[in-house]
Amino acid sequence: MKKRCFIALAVISSIQFCLPAHAQLQGDRIATSSAHPVAAIQDTETKAQRDARMLWWREARFGMFIHWGLYSIPAGTWNGKQVPSIGEWIMNNASIPVADYKALAPQFNPTSFNAHDIVALAKAAGMRYIVITSKHHDGFAMFDSKADPFNIVAATPFHRDPLRELADECRKQGIKLGFYYSQDQDWTAPGGAAYKTDHHDRPNHHWDTAQDGDFATYLHTKAIPQLKELLSNYGEFPAVIWFDTPTDDMTPALAGEIVALLNQYPKLIWNNRLGGSYQGDTETPEQFIPPQGYPGRDWESCMTMNDTWGYKSYDTNFKSTQTLLQNLIDIASKGGNYLLNIGPDSKGNVPPAEVERLKQVGQWLSVNGEAIYGTSPTLFGDEAGSFSATEKDESGKPKFIPAWDWRSTTGAHRIYIEVFNWPAGSLHIKKPARAVTGAYLLADSSHKAIKLNETPDGIDIALPSKPLDPVATVIVLKTK
Ligand code: H79
């Protein structure tokens, strides 16, 4: 694939194809498939060390992505025209000159921003961590940066550092905080990478000469200094650094300089989008759920509630709470995490449709969280769906056709069955690999036993006529 292959297919998920092959476990060391100038912690730690480092993240299962920046001011409209596609890409999609985009900063005064309320919302949703855009592709830093003046403290009337306020609240309210950082694309810094489909005549697809420059210089004068600030100025955080959209500009040698810095933070978790063939800790399917997860790899599906990450005033295409909840359960049943996005507006308010849905998901988790947090993937597998014998996906492989009757997650002495499509009378499951000693419904606080009938090929679970929850009622099978 050519340079900037992460976008060449114009499919968001195609980012994945730029990244190196999966890690292979060799003995108790985790080996990478290619040589790097700098060995990452992931290359040298033992499996036990990796397990300890990843423990909180693996148990968490549900996190909040926050896309928030200057793009929330135009909110999808530029010069009176609605600009198609994702809101945080408006500068690129509308070819906004650097000076015009930078002129948004003096207008940014999100006085309704309230770190306490956002962290409390994440907690009410049952989320265990937050990842916020510290700098997106537009190059605007949402934190106090001495390394570059195009930031929320120095360049706006707001003068506050929302990352610091969130870090304080996350510490107080007991959840983790991570920082998204666009290390490769930067559309306002000279030399930062940019992608654009219609400007192949200009190096690096820039649309304004103010973007011209040397990538290594950008990295040394902006990205690495800002990463140092992010890693050292916020106490115990960030727990996660979330890189995005690597291009071939990020050579192994340049990426190695970033890795040398990351290695100084031995608890840090970082994703697979640094570039330079580093694979990081986590696979990051974007806007999709892999049919069978990523066996042997930690992974996290990031998704929007509507069709944009950054706030767009007119995007009201919100997924239902049912869909969001089914996604969470589907992901947990495959051993992954769900990083679900909110896009606050230019005043710092979270759209009410997002708040409403998050609270509803949280309500379900407050009753049924035992079936999600810290669980292992399904012991069954077929319930998620099957590959079509005839239909192909975009890459020519058999298409996965999901089924939505039920999912399963696994605890130490429990098998959970999350039932979406409530059957009449009983649910039939194949014989699980463990001896089942009893069953009850998780939402029934009395844990009244429900009847199990062994059949030649499995178990019939006798069910009441109505589900206890309209979206997902959890059956608990007690196991040895
Ligand atoms: O931060 C969010 C996105 O902005 C970022 N990743 C998530 C987490 C992201 N950057 N690039 N992509 C996702 C995929 C690229 C999509 C594109 Fe397009 C398709 C770029 C060009 C064609 C969408 C349509 C954006 C511009 C036009």
Side-chain angles (χ1 to χ4, degrees):
M1 232 179 274
K2 287 207 324 189
K3 203 165 156 70
R4 269 163 286 282
C5 60
F6 73 97
I7 263 158
L9 297 175
V11 182
I12 285 172
S13 62
S14 67
I15 290 172
Q16 301 301 312
F17 299 123
C18 275
L19 296 160
H22 293 170
Q24 295 163 343
L25 285 174
Q26 294 184 347
D28 66 347
R29 300 265 158 192
I30 294 160
T32 51
S33 47
S34 54
H36 304 298
V38 175
I41 277 181
Q42 293 89 337
D43 300 330
T44 57
E45 69 191 339
T46 64
K47 185 177 178 301
Q49 287 169 328
R50 160 87 67 126
D51 289 345
R53 189 166 60 86
M54 296 303 296
L55 182 66
W56 75 262
W57 192 93
R58 289 175 180 163
E59 290 183 341
R61 284 289 176 263
F62 194 23
M64 173 182 276
F65 219 170
I66 305 178
H67 276 71
W68 193 38
L70 292 182
Y71 38 79
S72 64
I73 299 173
T77 301
W78 195 256
N79 286 339
K81 287 207 186 84
Q82 294 192 349
V83 180
S85 111
I86 42 185
E88 71 282 5
W89 273 67
I90 193 167
M91 179 185 177
N92 188 317
N93 291 336
S95 300
I96 300 171
V98 170
D100 294 2
Y101 194 84
K102 283 193 165 180
L104 289 170
Q107 303 171 41
F108 194 52
N109 197 14
T111 48
S112 299
F113 172 76
N114 184 316
H116 171 275
D117 291 356
I118 289 188
V119 175
L121 175 63
K123 290 206 69 171
M127 292 159 153
R128 297 278 171 91
Y129 61 110
I130 294 176
V131 178
I132 183 166
T133 47
S134 66
K135 186 199 85 169
H136 205 267
H137 309 330
D138 64 357
F140 180 71
M142 290 289 286
F143 60 100
D144 184 8
S145 175
K146 305 291 179 258
D148 188 280
F150 187 43
N151 71 70
I152 190 165
V153 172
T156 80
F158 191 51
H159 297 306
R160 280 160 53 189
D161 180 345
L163 269 50
R164 174 161 312 284
E165 295 176 19
L166 284 169
D168 290 345
E169 278 301 327
C170 284
R171 197 178 55 248
K172 277 189 207 148
Q173 300 191 41
I175 75 174
K176 303 279 187 188
L177 180 64
F179 298 147
Y180 170 110
Y181 188 85
S182 179
Q183 81 286 5
D184 196 316
Q185 292 205 80
D186 188 314
W187 304 329
T188 50
Y195 171 74
K196 209 155 174 46
T197 40
D198 56 351
H199 282 63
H200 293 294
D201 52 326
R202 296 282 300 284
N204 211 359
H205 307 283
H206 289 161
W207 57 93
D208 182 337
T209 50
Q211 298 166 319
D212 294 351
D214 175 61
F215 181 75
T217 304
Y218 149 73
L219 214 61
H220 291 139
T221 59
K222 184 170 180 184
I224 291 176
Q226 286 196 327
L227 281 165
K228 281 186 184 157
E229 292 176 327
L230 289 169
L231 286 162
S232 60
N233 289 351
Y234 297 90
E236 72 197 81
F237 300 130
V240 172
I241 292 276
W242 215 101
F243 297 113
D244 205 2
T245 63
T247 72
D248 287 354
D249 286 335
M250 188 68 78
T251 60
L254 288 173
E257 294 183 38
I258 294 178
V259 169
L261 173 63
L262 302 174
N263 280 348
Q264 294 171 29
Y265 299 85
K267 291 184 176 167
L268 187 69
I269 292 169
W270 46 281
N271 70 353
N272 65 340
R273 299 191 185 190
L274 171 60
S277 88
Y278 286 93
Q279 65 192 8
D281 294 304
T282 56
E283 297 294 314
T284 51
E286 179 164 327
Q287 300 286 36
F288 73 98
I289 300 172
Q292 297 168 312
Y294 295 90
R297 282 282 280 169
D298 292 295
W299 63 277
E300 173 191 70
S301 278
C302 57
M303 293 194 174
T304 52
M305 278 196 244
N306 49 2
D307 296 319
T308 184
W309 302 89
Y311 178 72
K312 280 178 90 171
S313 60
Y314 51 91
D315 183 344
T316 55
N317 190 27
F318 289 101
K319 294 165 191 76
S320 65
T321 301
Q322 176 183 21
T323 297
L324 302 175
L325 199 43
Q326 288 189 344
N327 284 347
L328 172 65
I329 296 166
D330 187 28
I331 289 167
S333 80
K334 295 166 180 173
N337 283 7
Y338 192 24
L339 188 62
L340 183 58
N341 186 68
I342 63 167
D345 70 15
S346 65
K347 284 287 147 208
N349 292 307
V350 182
E354 297 177 358
V355 174
E356 183 192 1
R357 284 160 178 75
L358 290 181
K359 288 189 170 163
Q360 288 167 344
V361 172
Q363 239 150 27
W364 185 89
L365 278 167
S366 70
V367 175
N368 298 290
E370 182 192 318
I372 302 294
Y373 303 117
T375 56
S376 307
T378 179
L379 297 175
F380 305 95
D382 293 349
E383 70 278 13
S386 55
F387 290 94
S388 168
T390 49
E391 284 182 84
K392 310 277 184 223
D393 65 17
E394 310 97 50
S395 58
K397 297 194 198 108
K399 188 174 173 181
F400 187 73
I401 314 290
W404 292 105
D405 287 339
W406 55 277
R407 290 291 181 273
S408 181
T409 49
T410 313
H413 299 286
R414 296 284 184 273
I415 293 172
Y416 302 98
I417 303 201
E418 299 90 9
V419 184
F420 304 138
N421 187 10
W422 196 250
S426 68
L427 178 75
H428 183 76
I429 57 164
K430 278 199 234 160
K431 204 170 179 58
R434 295 178 180 179
V436 176
T437 58
Y440 58 90
L441 299 179
L442 190 52
D444 168 16
S445 54
S446 73
H447 289 189
K448 186 161 70 70
I450 54 176
K451 259 184 84 182
L452 301 173
N453 275 322
E454 293 226 11
T455 67
D457 63 334
I459 303 176
D460 277 332
I461 307 167
L463 295 175
S465 59
K466 290 211 176 84
L468 302 192
D469 183 281
V471 177
T473 299
V474 181
I475 303 167
V476 185
L477 301 178
K478 296 194 271 186
T479 69
K480 289 259 169 68

